[in-house]
Amino acid sequence: MDNPISSRDFRCLQLACVGLGLAAGSIIIGVSVSKAAAAVGGIFIGAAGLGLLMLAYPFLKDQLNLDHILPTLGSLRIHPHPGPDHGEGRSSTNGNKEGARSSLSTVSRTLEKLKPGGRGAGEG
């Protein structure tokens, strides 16, 4: 029982499990009538996909050189560039506040006019 398994045999076993998972999931989904059975088939296919990813990871790591790509992806940061400042920065902010106040007062006056017995009910 102390027979070591070779790397090639292990990869073949992984590939066989992936194939079995894909076949079982496809058959379960194909013959299922209920949604629950189809969900179980989807779980089989998802597990097979994960097994396939585990099988392909060493190849992808070597071919894509992930050790150099992943640290650069992790160091990416978003640095928003502010728009051009035309000397209106603070005044436009205050202008927006004033504009909001004036529109609020306009809405209040309109609501007062619409109320029965309001200030502007008899006018017009």
Side-chain angles (χ1 to χ4, degrees):
M1 294 290 175
D2 291 348
N3 295 337
I5 186 168
S6 70
S7 175
R8 183 176 181 198
D9 290 341
F10 182 70
R11 295 288 179 207
C12 289
L13 183 62
Q14 273 185 321
L15 191 58
C17 289
V18 166
L20 185 64
L22 285 174
S26 300
I27 290 170
I28 290 172
I29 288 176
V31 300
S32 66
V33 177
S34 69
K35 291 181 181 177
V40 171
I43 291 171
F44 271 84
I45 291 179
L50 182 62
L52 190 62
L53 183 65
M54 289 170 51
L55 183 68
Y57 177 74
F59 172 76
L60 293 174
K61 184 179 177 186
D62 289 339
Q63 293 300 317
L64 299 177
N65 204 1
L66 293 178
D67 292 333
H68 295 294
I69 294 173
L70 292 178
T72 57
L73 288 177
S75 65
L76 291 178
R77 299 286 184 260
I78 296 175
H79 300 289
H81 298 289
D85 189 16
H86 299 293
E88 310 175 338
R90 292 185 178 180
S91 63
S92 68
T93 305
N94 292 338
N96 286 344
K97 288 180 184 176
E98 291 298 322
R101 286 186 194 134
S102 65
S103 64
L104 184 60
S105 62
T106 304
V107 169
S108 336
R109 283 192 302 250
T110 306
L111 287 175
E112 285 294 324
K113 288 180 182 179
L114 293 175
K115 283 184 184 177
R119 290 187 300 191
E123 299 174 12

